Amino acid sequence: MTEDEEPHYLLDTNIVSELMRYRADFNVLKKLIEHNGDCAICAPVWHKLLYGVYRLPDGLRKTNFEKFLRDEAEDMFPIKNYTKKVAEIFADLRAKLEKIGKTPENSDAEIASVALANRMILATRNVKHFAAIQEVSDLQVENWFEDEKSTPSGAQDVFSNMPG
């Protein structure tokens, strides 16, 4: 990816927080290396990461996690803002989902809206949280915790609906 290109992958909270684990998931690390420089997070994910750290009791763990977010993650992953376009997509998603009787958690729908507004693939462990959104939009989701070789046959090809 060149400097003027936009990242193609939007990371969910669980992907970034995996980097703070003592033994991070191998598949997540492999994907982050494979897509080095091609990943971003969004303002709602940044909020969730900081909120999680701020809720920890004072101590070394909290200090280390906050230091990682401020010194590493913030530099590693550009933060996509919640824009007017994102708000419009979010409102449309909520209305469409309400019509079919499905209401995902607001923060998940906000994250999905950022991915849609920026034509990004959402990387997450919680693919089920985004299934209803995929029913009413072109949201592309990848589970970076799964080894591609162990993906069950018949699983949706996340690239099949990508433009051009």
Side-chain angles (χ1 to χ4, degrees):
M1 186 173 96
T2 63
E3 284 185 37
D4 55 341
E5 282 186 63
E6 290 292 319
H8 294 95
Y9 293 92
L10 186 69
L11 307 180
D12 196 4
T13 311
N14 52 49
I15 300 291
V16 180
S17 63
E18 188 66 20
L19 296 174
M20 294 188 279
R21 294 177 50 94
Y22 176 68
R23 289 194 174 136
D25 183 90
F26 175 78
N27 292 319
V28 171
L29 295 176
K30 185 171 79 172
K31 284 292 201 177
L32 285 167
I33 291 167
E34 178 183 339
H35 300 295
N36 183 29
D38 198 18
C39 300
I41 61 175
C42 61
V45 165
W46 186 243
H47 161 262
K48 288 171 76 172
L49 290 165
L50 287 175
Y51 177 64
V53 167
Y54 295 163
R55 291 179 56 210
L56 292 172
D58 288 339
L60 188 58
R61 184 172 182 237
K62 179 177 183 174
T63 301
N64 287 339
F65 284 172
E66 185 169 10
K67 183 172 176 33
F68 168 78
L69 289 177
R70 298 281 184 197
D71 296 347
E72 303 294 329
E74 195 170 8
D75 291 336
M76 216 181 321
F77 308 117
I79 299 174
K80 296 301 218 175
N81 290 321
Y82 193 96
T83 63
K84 178 183 173 193
K85 181 178 180 181
V86 172
E88 290 170 356
I89 290 170
F90 180 43
D92 184 55
L93 282 178
R94 286 184 68 193
K96 287 177 179 174
L97 290 165
E98 188 177 284
K99 285 179 184 172
I100 63 170
K102 297 182 179 181
T103 49
E105 184 180 314
N106 269 352
S107 64
D108 289 336
E110 288 175 329
I111 293 164
S113 297
V114 173
L116 287 163
N118 292 283
R119 297 177 177 235
M120 299 173 83
I121 299 167
L122 178 61
T124 185
R125 172 180 243 161
N126 301 325
V127 293
K128 289 181 182 178
H129 292 189
F130 300 96
I133 294 168
Q134 287 183 287
E135 289 179 34
V136 298
S137 73
D138 293 329
L139 179 67
Q140 299 296 310
V141 178
E142 288 184 9
N143 183 347
W144 282 13
F145 284 82
E146 288 184 355
D147 184 359
E148 294 165 352
K149 294 175 186 161
S150 65
T151 302
S153 61
Q156 180 181 1
D157 175 4
V158 297
F159 296 105
S160 62
N161 295 325
M162 291 292 292

